[in-house]
């Protein structure tokens, strides 16, 4: 097991690419400019998604984000006082829990800089454990008996 921190970014997606992704069309990852920018930011940060022999590892899910803009907001989508529902991609990746705060701040700022929302939804966890390699044969034989 490896001690990591989880980074989860909620990213708005236009209806057509959202539909393509929902149908399992992975080409939509290459066709939607916002997702391309997010994945580029991931690939430019070598500390994100580092699983040894695998780099830039991420998981994603589709859903909806709901919000109501208050007075003073400058929304990219919706209007002040109106309830808005946005098709959303949630991208999750991981980085070493011992990574220094300056490096973490650098890639978080990069995501904020390219994010289309006035207030992006970005989640960052404390340390947790994830698998980083196949379990040794010792564990396999013990569970088989």
């Amino acid at each position: 097991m490896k001690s990591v921190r989880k980074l989860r970014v909620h990213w708005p997606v236009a209806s057509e690419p959202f539909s393509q992704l929902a149908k399992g069309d992975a080409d939509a990852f290459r066709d939607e400019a916002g997702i391309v920018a997010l994945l580029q930011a991931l690939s430019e940060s070598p500390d994100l998604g580092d699983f040894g022999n695998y780099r830039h590892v991420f998981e994603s899910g589709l859903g909806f984000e709901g919000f109501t803009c208050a007075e003073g907001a400058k929304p990219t989508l919706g209007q002040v006082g109106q309830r808005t529902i946005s098709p959303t991609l949630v991208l999750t990746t991981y980085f070493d829990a011992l990574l220094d705060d300056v490096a973490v701040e650098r890639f978080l700022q990069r995501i904020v800089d390219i994010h289309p929302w006035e207030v992006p939804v970005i989640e960052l966890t404390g340390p947790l454990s994830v698998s980083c390699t196949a379990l040794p044969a010792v564990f396999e034989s013990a569970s088989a008996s």
Side-chain angles (χ1 to χ4, degrees):
M1 299 300 281
K2 179 178 181 176
S3 182
V4 298
R5 294 176 70 189
K6 183 191 303 187
L7 171 66
R8 184 176 293 162
V9 179
H10 298 245
W11 197 275
V13 180
S15 293
E16 186 174 325
F18 184 89
S19 294
Q20 289 174 293
L21 290 168
K23 292 177 186 172
D25 183 359
D27 287 338
F29 278 99
R30 290 187 285 276
D31 297 339
E32 209 281 330
I35 295 173
V36 169
L38 180 58
L39 293 178
Q40 182 65 33
L42 174 67
S43 68
E44 290 171 356
S45 302
D47 296 312
L48 293 176
D50 177 7
F51 279 76
N53 291 334
Y54 298 89
R55 303 279 189 230
H56 313 126
V57 175
F58 71 92
E59 295 89 35
S60 65
L62 295 174
F64 294 92
E65 188 173 356
F67 54 90
T68 301
C69 300
E71 286 296 327
K74 296 178 181 132
T76 307
L77 178 68
Q79 297 175 0
V80 171
Q82 173 188 14
R83 179 79 172 151
T84 303
I85 304 293
S86 169
T88 301
L89 172 84
V90 179
L91 184 132
T92 303
T93 190
Y94 304 86
F95 60 92
D96 192 299
L98 298 177
L99 187 64
D100 67 89
D101 290 342
V102 172
V104 174
E105 180 65 30
R106 190 176 19 240
F107 61 72
L108 287 176
Q109 188 60 55
R110 171 75 174 123
I111 292 169
V112 168
D113 289 344
I114 65 171
H115 201 288
W117 286 149
E118 181 179 17
V119 180
V121 177
I122 300 171
E123 302 170 38
L124 186 60
T125 71
L128 53 97
S129 296
V130 297
S131 61
C132 62
T133 186
L135 292 175
V138 169
F139 289 111
E140 292 173 12
S141 63
S143 64
S145 44

